[in-house]
Amino acid sequence: MSEDILHLNHLSYATPESLLCSKKTTRTSYPIYSNRYDNCIGGEVLQIPFENIPECCYIDGSKSSISLKISINVPTPTAADDVYFWSTENSDATYANTGATIVNLIKSAVHQLDNNDILYRENFLYMMQTIREYSQSFERKRVLTEVGGYGTNENKYNQYGVNKNTSFNIPLYLLSPFWNTASLIPSKILKNSKLSLVINKLNESLIAFQRDSVTPRPFPDNASITFSEMSLNLYQTELYDQLDKSIKNQIIHFPYYSNNNDIHLLTSSSFMINIPLQASNLAYVALKFRPDGGSPIESAEIKDLGDVKTQDNNYLPIKIQARINGMIFPGFPINDSVQAYIESINALQTISYPNAQNVDEMKIENKLMGGTISYYQFCNSQISGPGPVYTLVSGFSSGGVIFAIDLQKSNNVSLSGVEVNASRILTIEIEGLDNYDNLTLFSQVRYMNVATIDKDKIVIMK
């Protein structure tokens, strides 16, 4: 019957050859020529060249990675208090949300194009991993156990033996939001570029354990790191010929996010910090207070920031506000930890309408799920003893407290941030930080870049 209807209406039907624009996708591994760096102690630079990449393809940054082997070298352990094992973090649920991975060993990342322009620069990369805890899903967090991340099912970080190689596969999206995109990256941007990774000091990166695998201790002064068997793994997609030809004749604009990370030494309980801006659109500003000592990258807990100034269990000892272009962010005072948590969630979770039901049941458009930090992990209360007098103490966390302020004009339009120019200053005002002399402040401002490709010319615009 259906064929008769087609015939009567002079219609024909043919199955399309393909609904995809890509002809094929391959995973290509590029060995790194200088693929061994022995006895690193911090400050060394690992060079990752993007050579021999064909111009006809596009790169899937979300799947691409760097594979390598890492050995932590210490004198052969014999006594019980020597270093036998190491990990990226303390194996305790108290540190479940620090965001620690093997990226702890990378202090900064700079990607330079063939024309010497900077594609992205990520300072204090190891320290700002905590922000990822607010945007990734639990499923993605479990995958990151491949790089020494926290096992949400196991409630601990994996431990590794010293003086032997351990294989890791570092996803490139851990190094910069440039790679963390569903858009295919034109290979012309990356061809003959160079990624430089600056190595962090060992005692500022990892946790050493004695023979009982429980008791932490510092690494000895003569400990070092060896990186070997390094290779760059790129997922390369080729388009159909006609489509590729039509794109080559056009000017391509590739937008992507970058981070401006900085460190601020604190000298007062109330102060302002000014961040010069050289960007056209801003997404958010995030603040991380780092306590002295402790784990490699944990955030300070709420109770560590200052004295209790109210009888509220969900108190917040400090006040934070941002100013730019005559505007104040947020537009209302944040008086407690609950409001601070909600503001951070709104700024760092990029899914639209995260509180709605069945926004996209097939997860086609809104692929990002809510973050991995609950309010309990942001701020909770614990009862301390011993009896008969028990005290309720508030302000505990799981190592991942981030204060973020949304600078977007609308949460429903992903690239509609505040417009600025090079002459503008982002001012952060902080009051009531009573414990400032035991803290260090790190900041991250996320902004948008656009890489423009016009034939063989590439221009990076902020």
Side-chain angles (χ1 to χ4, degrees):
M1 175 64 72
S2 59
E3 292 181 359
D4 294 337
I5 294 175
L6 290 172
H7 178 71
L8 289 172
N9 290 278
H10 305 285
L11 300 174
S12 62
Y13 175 78
T15 304
E17 294 182 2
S18 176
L19 297 177
L20 300 175
C21 63
S22 61
K23 182 165 58 176
K24 66 176 181 178
T25 299
T26 57
R27 179 185 184 273
T28 305
S29 181
Y30 296 92
I32 298 171
Y33 300 125
S34 300
N35 67 354
R36 187 177 182 90
Y37 294 81
D38 289 305
N39 302 320
C40 298
I41 59 174
E44 295 83 1
V45 180
L46 307 188
Q47 303 285 1
I48 314 293
F50 285 70
E51 299 175 342
N52 304 319
I53 301 176
E55 293 188 2
C56 62
C57 68
Y58 294 77
I59 308 299
D60 187 341
S62 64
K63 296 180 180 178
S64 299
S65 63
I66 297 172
S67 58
L68 75 169
K69 293 186 177 181
I70 295 176
S71 174
I72 304 301
N73 312 312
V74 299
T76 303
T78 55
D81 59 351
D82 285 342
V83 175
Y84 284 79
F85 310 100
W86 63 272
S87 180
T88 60
E89 186 57 278
N90 285 303
S91 290
D92 188 335
T94 305
Y95 305 95
N97 294 113
T98 65
T101 65
I102 201 64
V103 177
N104 289 13
L105 287 170
I106 303 176
K107 188 168 187 177
S108 63
V110 180
H111 201 142
Q112 191 173 27
L113 300 183
D114 189 32
N115 61 5
N116 294 325
D117 283 351
I118 300 299
L119 185 62
Y120 58 83
R121 183 192 303 273
E122 296 283 336
N123 295 325
F124 307 104
L125 178 62
Y126 68 107
M127 189 61 65
M128 307 314 291
Q129 292 183 93
T130 309
I131 295 176
R132 184 179 62 247
E133 296 288 296
Y134 289 79
S135 59
Q136 69 181 353
S137 65
F138 278 105
E139 290 77 12
R140 177 52 54 183
K141 182 168 182 172
R142 294 188 183 106
V143 170
L144 293 183
T145 54
E146 69 172 344
V147 285
Y150 183 76
T152 55
N153 291 335
E154 300 76 17
N155 296 324
K156 65 179 181 180
Y157 292 86
N158 198 9
Q159 292 184 335
Y160 310 96
V162 297
N163 299 330
K164 61 175 64 175
N165 282 328
T166 304
S167 299
F168 292 101
N169 187 72
I170 303 176
L172 290 179
Y173 65 77
L174 294 184
L175 305 181
S176 172
F178 171 82
W179 302 100
N180 194 16
T181 174
S183 302
L184 294 176
I185 303 171
S187 60
K188 280 187 175 182
I189 298 178
L190 299 170
K191 188 174 178 62
N192 296 324
S193 65
K194 180 176 63 178
L195 174 60
S196 301
L197 305 178
V198 180
I199 301 305
N200 200 13
K201 294 180 180 179
L202 193 54
N203 272 314
E204 297 178 3
S205 307
L206 305 176
I207 298 291
F209 292 94
Q210 299 179 11
R211 187 164 57 191
D212 62 6
S213 75
V214 176
T215 308
R217 56 147 296 169
F219 285 96
D221 294 337
N222 55 354
S224 64
I225 318 163
T226 295
F227 301 89
S228 61
E229 299 185 35
M230 302 170 60
S231 63
L232 177 65
N233 310 308
L234 298 179
Y235 276 76
Q236 301 173 170
T237 296
E238 293 184 30
L239 306 182
Y240 284 104
D241 295 340
Q242 293 300 320
L243 179 60
D244 189 44
K245 288 180 181 178
S246 65
I247 293 177
K248 285 182 177 180
N249 295 327
Q250 300 179 16
I251 297 176
I252 300 176
H253 301 285
F254 181 78
Y256 63 95
Y257 279 122
S258 290
N259 296 324
N260 178 48
N261 302 328
D262 207 348
I263 186 173
H264 311 276
L265 302 180
L266 307 179
T267 59
S268 174
S269 61
S270 298
F271 56 91
M272 294 189 301
I273 57 175
N274 295 320
I275 303 175
L277 300 173
Q278 295 180 354
S280 59
N281 287 279
L282 304 180
Y284 66 75
V285 57
L287 305 176
K288 175 179 178 178
F289 293 96
R290 170 85 171 96
D292 294 341
S295 77
I297 66 169
E298 69 170 319
S299 297
E301 298 179 287
I302 299 293
K303 64 180 180 60
D304 296 331
L305 301 180
D307 300 331
V308 178
K309 302 178 179 67
T310 175
Q311 295 302 313
D312 189 346
N313 284 327
N314 291 323
Y315 75 99
L316 183 65
I318 62 174
K319 294 182 179 180
I320 301 175
Q321 211 164 41
R323 295 178 184 270
I324 185 172
N325 288 9
M327 296 179 288
I328 299 176
F329 298 89
F332 54 89
I334 297 178
N335 298 319
D336 53 61
S337 294
V338 175
Q339 294 180 31
Y341 173 75
I342 293 174
E343 186 66 24
S344 295
I345 291 295
N346 290 337
L348 301 176
Q349 290 186 9
T350 55
I351 183 174
S352 298
Y353 306 106
N355 59 327
Q357 294 182 0
N358 299 329
V359 178
D360 178 15
E361 296 185 37
M362 300 302 294
K363 296 294 181 292
I364 296 173
E365 297 296 334
N366 294 304
K367 294 183 179 180
L368 293 179
M369 306 297 289
T372 63
I373 292 186
S374 66
Y375 178 72
Y376 181 87
Q377 293 169 312
F378 187 88
C379 180
N380 65 79
S381 302
Q382 298 179 15
I383 299 175
S384 64
V389 178
Y390 293 90
T391 304
L392 183 67
V393 181
S394 304
F396 290 92
S397 76
S398 55
V401 173
I402 295 291
F403 298 98
I405 299 175
D406 187 10
L407 301 177
Q408 300 278 81
K409 293 179 181 176
S410 170
N411 289 334
N412 304 326
V413 183
S414 59
L415 293 179
S416 63
V418 177
E419 296 181 358
V420 298
N421 57 48
S423 64
R424 300 294 183 179
I425 299 292
L426 173 63
T427 300
I428 308 297
E429 302 173 354
I430 298 176
E431 297 180 8
L433 191 67
D434 301 321
N435 199 23
Y436 69 90
D437 52 347
N438 294 315
L439 300 169
T440 302
L441 174 60
F442 292 86
S443 66
Q444 178 177 99
V445 177
R446 177 159 292 190
Y447 61 93
M448 187 179 69
N449 282 341
V450 178
T452 300
I453 306 173
D454 186 1
K455 296 181 181 179
D456 293 329
K457 184 180 180 181
I458 300 175
V459 177
I460 305 297
M461 296 179 292
K462 296 182 179 181

